[in-house]
Amino acid sequence: MTDLLLKELDVTDFRSIRGRVHAPLDAQVVLIHGENGAGKTSLLSAIELALTGGVQSLRRADPDYASQLMHRSAARGNVSVATVGTGAATYGATLSRDGIATSNSLDATLASFFSERSYLPQALLGQLLQIYQDSGSGANSPLAKFVGELLRLDRLDAIEAGLKPLGDVRNVRKVVDGWSDNELEKTRLDALIKDQKLSLLQIIEDIGFQMSAIEKAADALGLVVNLDDRKLDAIEQALLPADDEQRLAVIIDRRRELGSIRRDLVRAAGAGPSASFTAESSSDVYERWAATYLERYSALRSKIEAILPATPMPGDMAAFGDAAIRHLTLHADQATSRANKAKTDAERLATAESEIEVARSRLKAISGEMAGTSTSAGGLAAILSEVTAFIDGETCPVCDRDYAELNAGTLVEHVHGKVRRLSASAQRLLELGRMNTQAQALVDRLEREIATLIDAIPDERTLAELDRAAADSNSARAELADILDALKEGSRLRAAQVAAQRAVTEAQSRSVALTAARQTLSDFAVAVATPPIADGEDLSVAAERVQALLDAENATLEVRLSLRREGRSAVATIRSLQSRADRLSDELKQHEATLKIVTGAQQRAQKVRVQGTKIRDAVDAIRSSIIRRAFNERLNRLWRDLFVRLAPGEPFIPAFRIPEAATQRIQPRLVTDHRAGGAAGGTPGAMLSAGNLNTAALTLFLSLHLSVPKTLPWLILDDPVQSMDDVHIAHLAALLRTLSKEHGRQIVIAVHDRQLFEYLRLELSPAFPNDSLLTLELARGPHQDTRCLSRRYSFREETSLLAA
């Protein structure tokens, strides 16, 4: 197929190309021009898709690229390439929402040669050196494929790859079917069971801590309860606050009543009106204050008592203001804290649910791939390895057939090749098993975290009520702070008014009121179970004695109610912990049963051993010698010649360096040699400028193309002059002209710079009768459809100079 040429390309709704484009290609040189985004790269990618059934550069960037090849405005697209010459054919593919449907394409060998040796995409130019530098020593690396194709090392590679597991007894153990999966499953179950047991122990410890809190509360309250976490209903019933709440309400009323009695005592025993403030003037001042603030104070007090229904508030306006601000601040802070924690937990829950969906999708993909991989490949490989010990000559010890009749190599090599393929399948299954275990562990951890968050997050109504309570508290606090000074002044004025009014009648009723107040205080003392007022006892002292008793009982009841609340909260926490413990216990039983099965399988698998032989040293020595000779004497020489031709002023020359020591795999390094001799020591990326680095990548691609037999005579380059100066471009044009005119390569090159396009059109113009040049100019139509204008240049003999 060395005389096979590209003839024409038809593209419909492919990538950035909208509509149908016909591009003739039947010329020795095809020069493509278009602005950025006009569709140059799409046109070249269409050639690769039609010939090979895929686009390698896009597959490397996005494995799911097939669903994005069709133009977004179309429901269907297609690409088609016709060739002319020996083996001429038409190749094409159809695009739809379901992916790519190939009608005809090059065989696998030619398709691989095209994608790796004939077509250099723009995205690959800056990555080519890095790809070969980082390709490693794997058998499927780009460098390994090139060396195998160049030197025909397939058999040596196959022998080396097949015998690799025999180098270590641990590798031999891994070929036993299910061994690694069983080990990973046991490790996962051990860790999971340990984690669950620790969680159960922590829950038991937390339950004990909460029971200790209940016990302390019960002791402090004087309750006799059965501290059994299985009888939480009885404990919760014992902690109900009904009796203490009723007693506290009675004590509050008693304290208010005592306050009234004490005020009566003060009026009965006090002095007359102040000399500087009469009853009439005090009343006028207070009435003016009340007209301004009293209605606002009453409404605000009702609002605050509705926000804090369980909090007793002082009757005095000044004391009410200070106490209300303190309680509102505490109430707002508590509601805000609980709401913020709930929102944080909700955000984490959403993140965890998103993470678990991703983990489950990955687990499903791994399980699907495991389901499609044979699980018996390792065991069959082990059996065939043992059969090789009984092979004597070319007669099969199983079916007695003479394998020499097939003329396909020796029987031993055939069996070894089969063992290598089966071992590769088993190795992949082991890797999938490890990945499956890791993904399952992540899913389990996220499920536990999600369960914990769901238990902790309150419902949306509760969260809204918390936000509303915080907002109401802050609003009331701000409104109260605004009139706090006025309330204090009103309290003072009210007190002055009352004092002045009482002073008027005090003198008349002092003795009668004092007698009545003493009797009332005495009766009240008997009512609250304290000794009555004795004859001669000071009334203020007696009132303080009764007040101290009521205050002490009030404080005691508030402490008891607080203990009951804490106890009921501990009961609710224990119920939640018990629910989690029940779930963990069920899961733990299941995992322990599975662990027992897995442990038994592992113990049986310990008996599996496979023996093998080692012959890799001889293969390695021969292979290393061939590779070293090919790199040093063939590829590096060609690469040097091409690079020096394009960059004659660059002192550092890129090259592959092969270690002198024996190696089991290809291990070349990319280095730079100095033009004057000797290694410069650094990689091309460290020693070359950006322009010369692109030159090195381009010349490496051309060297790889020219080093192997001329399988396909095409060189397709997508904007290869990135970061090149005019000198490099001139040398590149000369090199392309040489490849086209002297080496018979069909050149297809795309550029976006107009001046460069015109220059290359001039430099690559036809030079002899059978030579030809095609230019394709891409542009957008008025409806954003893609237009392709072609122009053909043929050889025309110069006659003007002859006439002169």
Side-chain angles (χ1 to χ4, degrees), residues 483-507:
I483 63 170
L484 184 60
D485 292 336
L487 292 181
K488 292 180 179 180
E489 178 64 17
S491 177
R492 186 186 66 77
L493 293 176
R494 176 61 177 167
Q497 180 201 31
V498 172
Q501 289 174 348
R502 289 175 180 172
V504 176
T505 59
E506 201 173 59

PDB file of all heavy atoms in Angstrom, residues 483-507:
ATOM      1  N   ILE A 483     -35.736  51.334  74.647  1.00  0.00           N
ATOM      2  CA  ILE A 483     -36.529  52.086  75.646  1.00  0.00           C
ATOM      3  C   ILE A 483     -36.113  51.734  77.070  1.00  0.00           C
ATOM      4  O   ILE A 483     -36.856  52.017  78.024  1.00  0.00           O
ATOM      5  CB  ILE A 483     -38.028  51.802  75.468  1.00  0.00           C
ATOM      6  CG1 ILE A 483     -38.347  50.315  75.715  1.00  0.00           C
ATOM      7  CG2 ILE A 483     -38.501  52.197  74.098  1.00  0.00           C
ATOM      8  CD1 ILE A 483     -39.847  50.025  75.794  1.00  0.00           C
ATOM      9  N   LEU A 484     -34.949  51.058  77.217  1.00  0.00           N
ATOM     10  CA  LEU A 484     -34.538  50.619  78.553  1.00  0.00           C
ATOM     11  C   LEU A 484     -34.363  51.804  79.506  1.00  0.00           C
ATOM     12  O   LEU A 484     -34.832  51.773  80.656  1.00  0.00           O
ATOM     13  CB  LEU A 484     -33.237  49.814  78.455  1.00  0.00           C
ATOM     14  CG  LEU A 484     -32.740  49.212  79.758  1.00  0.00           C
ATOM     15  CD1 LEU A 484     -33.780  48.253  80.339  1.00  0.00           C
ATOM     16  CD2 LEU A 484     -31.415  48.487  79.539  1.00  0.00           C
ATOM     17  N   ASP A 485     -33.721  52.862  79.035  1.00  0.00           N
ATOM     18  CA  ASP A 485     -33.520  54.030  79.903  1.00  0.00           C
ATOM     19  C   ASP A 485     -34.854  54.676  80.267  1.00  0.00           C
ATOM     20  O   ASP A 485     -35.063  55.134  81.410  1.00  0.00           O
ATOM     21  CB  ASP A 485     -32.628  55.055  79.206  1.00  0.00           C
ATOM     22  CG  ASP A 485     -31.215  54.541  79.045  1.00  0.00           C
ATOM     23  OD1 ASP A 485     -30.819  53.650  79.842  1.00  0.00           O
ATOM     24  OD2 ASP A 485     -30.500  55.037  78.135  1.00  0.00           O
ATOM     25  N   ALA A 486     -35.792  54.701  79.305  1.00  0.00           N
ATOM     26  CA  ALA A 486     -37.114  55.265  79.585  1.00  0.00           C
ATOM     27  C   ALA A 486     -37.854  54.432  80.617  1.00  0.00           C
ATOM     28  O   ALA A 486     -38.583  54.960  81.480  1.00  0.00           O
ATOM     29  CB  ALA A 486     -37.923  55.363  78.297  1.00  0.00           C
ATOM     30  N   LEU A 487     -37.693  53.100  80.579  1.00  0.00           N
ATOM     31  CA  LEU A 487     -38.354  52.236  81.561  1.00  0.00           C
ATOM     32  C   LEU A 487     -37.813  52.492  82.966  1.00  0.00           C
ATOM     33  O   LEU A 487     -38.572  52.485  83.952  1.00  0.00           O
ATOM     34  CB  LEU A 487     -38.171  50.768  81.177  1.00  0.00           C
ATOM     35  CG  LEU A 487     -38.893  50.296  79.901  1.00  0.00           C
ATOM     36  CD1 LEU A 487     -38.633  48.810  79.683  1.00  0.00           C
ATOM     37  CD2 LEU A 487     -40.390  50.548  80.007  1.00  0.00           C
ATOM     38  N   LYS A 488     -36.515  52.657  83.024  1.00  0.00           N
ATOM     39  CA  LYS A 488     -35.943  52.949  84.346  1.00  0.00           C
ATOM     40  C   LYS A 488     -36.469  54.286  84.887  1.00  0.00           C
ATOM     41  O   LYS A 488     -36.776  54.400  86.085  1.00  0.00           O
ATOM     42  CB  LYS A 488     -34.416  52.972  84.246  1.00  0.00           C
ATOM     43  CG  LYS A 488     -33.811  51.604  83.956  1.00  0.00           C
ATOM     44  CD  LYS A 488     -32.290  51.674  83.873  1.00  0.00           C
ATOM     45  CE  LYS A 488     -31.695  50.297  83.604  1.00  0.00           C
ATOM     46  NZ  LYS A 488     -30.229  50.355  83.512  1.00  0.00           N
ATOM     47  N   GLU A 489     -36.566  55.264  84.000  1.00  0.00           N
ATOM     48  CA  GLU A 489     -37.101  56.555  84.431  1.00  0.00           C
ATOM     49  C   GLU A 489     -38.573  56.413  84.826  1.00  0.00           C
ATOM     50  O   GLU A 489     -39.032  56.985  85.821  1.00  0.00           O
ATOM     51  CB  GLU A 489     -36.946  57.567  83.295  1.00  0.00           C
ATOM     52  CG  GLU A 489     -37.513  58.944  83.587  1.00  0.00           C
ATOM     53  CD  GLU A 489     -36.789  59.643  84.735  1.00  0.00           C
ATOM     54  OE1 GLU A 489     -35.654  59.200  85.090  1.00  0.00           O
ATOM     55  OE2 GLU A 489     -37.326  60.628  85.280  1.00  0.00           O
ATOM     56  N   GLY A 490     -39.352  55.647  84.058  1.00  0.00           N
ATOM     57  CA  GLY A 490     -40.761  55.430  84.388  1.00  0.00           C
ATOM     58  C   GLY A 490     -40.931  54.711  85.702  1.00  0.00           C
ATOM     59  O   GLY A 490     -41.847  55.009  86.488  1.00  0.00           O
ATOM     60  N   SER A 491     -40.039  53.737  85.962  1.00  0.00           N
ATOM     61  CA  SER A 491     -40.117  53.020  87.237  1.00  0.00           C
ATOM     62  C   SER A 491     -39.865  53.968  88.404  1.00  0.00           C
ATOM     63  O   SER A 491     -40.546  53.919  89.435  1.00  0.00           O
ATOM     64  CB  SER A 491     -39.101  51.878  87.240  1.00  0.00           C
ATOM     65  OG  SER A 491     -39.098  51.208  88.470  1.00  0.00           O
ATOM     66  N   ARG A 492     -38.890  54.843  88.180  1.00  0.00           N
ATOM     67  CA  ARG A 492     -38.585  55.806  89.250  1.00  0.00           C
ATOM     68  C   ARG A 492     -39.750  56.772  89.451  1.00  0.00           C
ATOM     69  O   ARG A 492     -40.134  57.090  90.586  1.00  0.00           O
ATOM     70  CB  ARG A 492     -37.312  56.579  88.897  1.00  0.00           C
ATOM     71  CG  ARG A 492     -36.823  57.510  90.004  1.00  0.00           C
ATOM     72  CD  ARG A 492     -35.658  58.332  89.536  1.00  0.00           C
ATOM     73  NE  ARG A 492     -36.057  59.251  88.494  1.00  0.00           N
ATOM     74  CZ  ARG A 492     -36.723  60.403  88.701  1.00  0.00           C
ATOM     75  NH1 ARG A 492     -37.064  60.765  89.929  1.00  0.00           N
ATOM     76  NH2 ARG A 492     -37.045  61.192  87.694  1.00  0.00           N
ATOM     77  N   LEU A 493     -40.320  57.262  88.336  1.00  0.00           N
ATOM     78  CA  LEU A 493     -41.438  58.209  88.450  1.00  0.00           C
ATOM     79  C   LEU A 493     -42.658  57.555  89.072  1.00  0.00           C
ATOM     80  O   LEU A 493     -43.389  58.169  89.866  1.00  0.00           O
ATOM     81  CB  LEU A 493     -41.796  58.758  87.063  1.00  0.00           C
ATOM     82  CG  LEU A 493     -40.745  59.646  86.404  1.00  0.00           C
ATOM     83  CD1 LEU A 493     -41.187  60.033  85.005  1.00  0.00           C
ATOM     84  CD2 LEU A 493     -40.475  60.883  87.255  1.00  0.00           C
ATOM     85  N   ARG A 494     -42.903  56.274  88.679  1.00  0.00           N
ATOM     86  CA  ARG A 494     -44.061  55.579  89.254  1.00  0.00           C
ATOM     87  C   ARG A 494     -43.897  55.398  90.753  1.00  0.00           C
ATOM     88  O   ARG A 494     -44.849  55.585  91.531  1.00  0.00           O
ATOM     89  CB  ARG A 494     -44.200  54.207  88.564  1.00  0.00           C
ATOM     90  CG  ARG A 494     -45.294  53.328  89.125  1.00  0.00           C
ATOM     91  CD  ARG A 494     -46.656  53.959  88.989  1.00  0.00           C
ATOM     92  NE  ARG A 494     -47.704  53.080  89.473  1.00  0.00           N
ATOM     93  CZ  ARG A 494     -48.941  53.451  89.709  1.00  0.00           C
ATOM     94  NH1 ARG A 494     -49.293  54.735  89.525  1.00  0.00           N
ATOM     95  NH2 ARG A 494     -49.849  52.592  90.120  1.00  0.00           N
ATOM     96  N   ALA A 495     -42.679  55.039  91.116  1.00  0.00           N
ATOM     97  CA  ALA A 495     -42.421  54.874  92.550  1.00  0.00           C
ATOM     98  C   ALA A 495     -42.601  56.191  93.291  1.00  0.00           C
ATOM     99  O   ALA A 495     -43.162  56.243  94.396  1.00  0.00           O
ATOM    100  CB  ALA A 495     -41.008  54.318  92.754  1.00  0.00           C
ATOM    101  N   ALA A 496     -42.127  57.277  92.681  1.00  0.00           N
ATOM    102  CA  ALA A 496     -42.265  58.589  93.332  1.00  0.00           C
ATOM    103  C   ALA A 496     -43.734  58.978  93.444  1.00  0.00           C
ATOM    104  O   ALA A 496     -44.177  59.539  94.467  1.00  0.00           O
ATOM    105  CB  ALA A 496     -41.486  59.630  92.547  1.00  0.00           C
ATOM    106  N   GLN A 497     -44.534  58.670  92.384  1.00  0.00           N
ATOM    107  CA  GLN A 497     -45.950  59.010  92.426  1.00  0.00           C
ATOM    108  C   GLN A 497     -46.672  58.248  93.532  1.00  0.00           C
ATOM    109  O   GLN A 497     -47.464  58.803  94.307  1.00  0.00           O
ATOM    110  CB  GLN A 497     -46.593  58.706  91.066  1.00  0.00           C
ATOM    111  CG  GLN A 497     -48.073  59.044  91.022  1.00  0.00           C
ATOM    112  CD  GLN A 497     -48.777  58.287  89.914  1.00  0.00           C
ATOM    113  OE1 GLN A 497     -48.355  57.189  89.605  1.00  0.00           O
ATOM    114  NE2 GLN A 497     -49.823  58.866  89.382  1.00  0.00           N
ATOM    115  N   VAL A 498     -46.388  56.931  93.559  1.00  0.00           N
ATOM    116  CA  VAL A 498     -47.039  56.104  94.582  1.00  0.00           C
ATOM    117  C   VAL A 498     -46.630  56.569  95.978  1.00  0.00           C
ATOM    118  O   VAL A 498     -47.459  56.650  96.907  1.00  0.00           O
ATOM    119  CB  VAL A 498     -46.704  54.632  94.359  1.00  0.00           C
ATOM    120  CG1 VAL A 498     -47.205  53.784  95.517  1.00  0.00           C
ATOM    121  CG2 VAL A 498     -47.292  54.151  93.037  1.00  0.00           C
ATOM    122  N   ALA A 499     -45.356  56.877  96.125  1.00  0.00           N
ATOM    123  CA  ALA A 499     -44.878  57.322  97.437  1.00  0.00           C
ATOM    124  C   ALA A 499     -45.554  58.626  97.851  1.00  0.00           C
ATOM    125  O   ALA A 499     -45.948  58.809  99.014  1.00  0.00           O
ATOM    126  CB  ALA A 499     -43.369  57.489  97.403  1.00  0.00           C
ATOM    127  N   ALA A 500     -45.696  59.521  96.877  1.00  0.00           N
ATOM    128  CA  ALA A 500     -46.316  60.808  97.213  1.00  0.00           C
ATOM    129  C   ALA A 500     -47.787  60.652  97.557  1.00  0.00           C
ATOM    130  O   ALA A 500     -48.307  61.277  98.499  1.00  0.00           O
ATOM    131  CB  ALA A 500     -46.143  61.767  96.043  1.00  0.00           C
ATOM    132  N   GLN A 501     -48.495  59.772  96.773  1.00  0.00           N
ATOM    133  CA  GLN A 501     -49.921  59.579  97.023  1.00  0.00           C
ATOM    134  C   GLN A 501     -50.155  58.900  98.380  1.00  0.00           C
ATOM    135  O   GLN A 501     -51.107  59.227  99.103  1.00  0.00           O
ATOM    136  CB  GLN A 501     -50.537  58.744  95.900  1.00  0.00           C
ATOM    137  CG  GLN A 501     -50.637  59.493  94.579  1.00  0.00           C
ATOM    138  CD  GLN A 501     -51.119  58.604  93.443  1.00  0.00           C
ATOM    139  OE1 GLN A 501     -51.171  57.391  93.604  1.00  0.00           O
ATOM    140  NE2 GLN A 501     -51.454  59.227  92.316  1.00  0.00           N
ATOM    141  N   ARG A 502     -49.298  57.945  98.652  1.00  0.00           N
ATOM    142  CA  ARG A 502     -49.478  57.249  99.928  1.00  0.00           C
ATOM    143  C   ARG A 502     -49.124  58.153 101.115  1.00  0.00           C
ATOM    144  O   ARG A 502     -49.661  57.992 102.214  1.00  0.00           O
ATOM    145  CB  ARG A 502     -48.605  55.995  99.953  1.00  0.00           C
ATOM    146  CG  ARG A 502     -49.134  54.905  99.014  1.00  0.00           C
ATOM    147  CD  ARG A 502     -48.190  53.752  98.976  1.00  0.00           C
ATOM    148  NE  ARG A 502     -48.667  52.699  98.090  1.00  0.00           N
ATOM    149  CZ  ARG A 502     -47.983  51.636  97.737  1.00  0.00           C
ATOM    150  NH1 ARG A 502     -46.742  51.498  98.203  1.00  0.00           N
ATOM    151  NH2 ARG A 502     -48.500  50.722  96.947  1.00  0.00           N
ATOM    152  N   ALA A 503     -48.196  59.053 100.878  1.00  0.00           N
ATOM    153  CA  ALA A 503     -47.785  59.930 101.984  1.00  0.00           C
ATOM    154  C   ALA A 503     -48.935  60.817 102.471  1.00  0.00           C
ATOM    155  O   ALA A 503     -48.978  61.228 103.633  1.00  0.00           O
ATOM    156  CB  ALA A 503     -46.604  60.779 101.555  1.00  0.00           C
ATOM    157  N   VAL A 504     -49.896  61.109 101.533  1.00  0.00           N
ATOM    158  CA  VAL A 504     -51.007  61.981 101.903  1.00  0.00           C
ATOM    159  C   VAL A 504     -51.890  61.328 102.960  1.00  0.00           C
ATOM    160  O   VAL A 504     -52.351  61.954 103.918  1.00  0.00           O
ATOM    161  CB  VAL A 504     -51.833  62.340 100.651  1.00  0.00           C
ATOM    162  CG1 VAL A 504     -53.055  63.157 101.013  1.00  0.00           C
ATOM    163  CG2 VAL A 504     -50.961  63.079  99.634  1.00  0.00           C
ATOM    164  N   THR A 505     -52.164  60.039 102.740  1.00  0.00           N
ATOM    165  CA  THR A 505     -53.081  59.337 103.653  1.00  0.00           C
ATOM    166  C   THR A 505     -52.344  58.530 104.715  1.00  0.00           C
ATOM    167  O   THR A 505     -52.983  57.898 105.569  1.00  0.00           O
ATOM    168  CB  THR A 505     -53.958  58.374 102.846  1.00  0.00           C
ATOM    169  OG1 THR A 505     -53.141  57.428 102.154  1.00  0.00           O
ATOM    170  CG2 THR A 505     -54.815  59.128 101.846  1.00  0.00           C
ATOM    171  N   GLU A 506     -51.036  58.567 104.643  1.00  0.00           N
ATOM    172  CA  GLU A 506     -50.250  57.718 105.543  1.00  0.00           C
ATOM    173  C   GLU A 506     -50.422  58.126 107.007  1.00  0.00           C
ATOM    174  O   GLU A 506     -50.539  57.272 107.887  1.00  0.00           O
ATOM    175  CB  GLU A 506     -48.778  57.798 105.148  1.00  0.00           C
ATOM    176  CG  GLU A 506     -47.965  56.638 105.644  1.00  0.00           C
ATOM    177  CD  GLU A 506     -46.560  56.696 105.079  1.00  0.00           C
ATOM    178  OE1 GLU A 506     -45.863  57.691 105.318  1.00  0.00           O
ATOM    179  OE2 GLU A 506     -46.178  55.745 104.391  1.00  0.00           O
ATOM    180  N   ALA A 507     -50.409  59.414 107.185  1.00  0.00           N
ATOM    181  CA  ALA A 507     -50.496  59.875 108.571  1.00  0.00           C
ATOM    182  C   ALA A 507     -51.821  59.481 109.225  1.00  0.00           C
ATOM    183  O   ALA A 507     -51.882  59.181 110.424  1.00  0.00           O
ATOM    184  CB  ALA A 507     -50.314  61.396 108.629  1.00  0.00           C
TER     185      ALA A 507
END
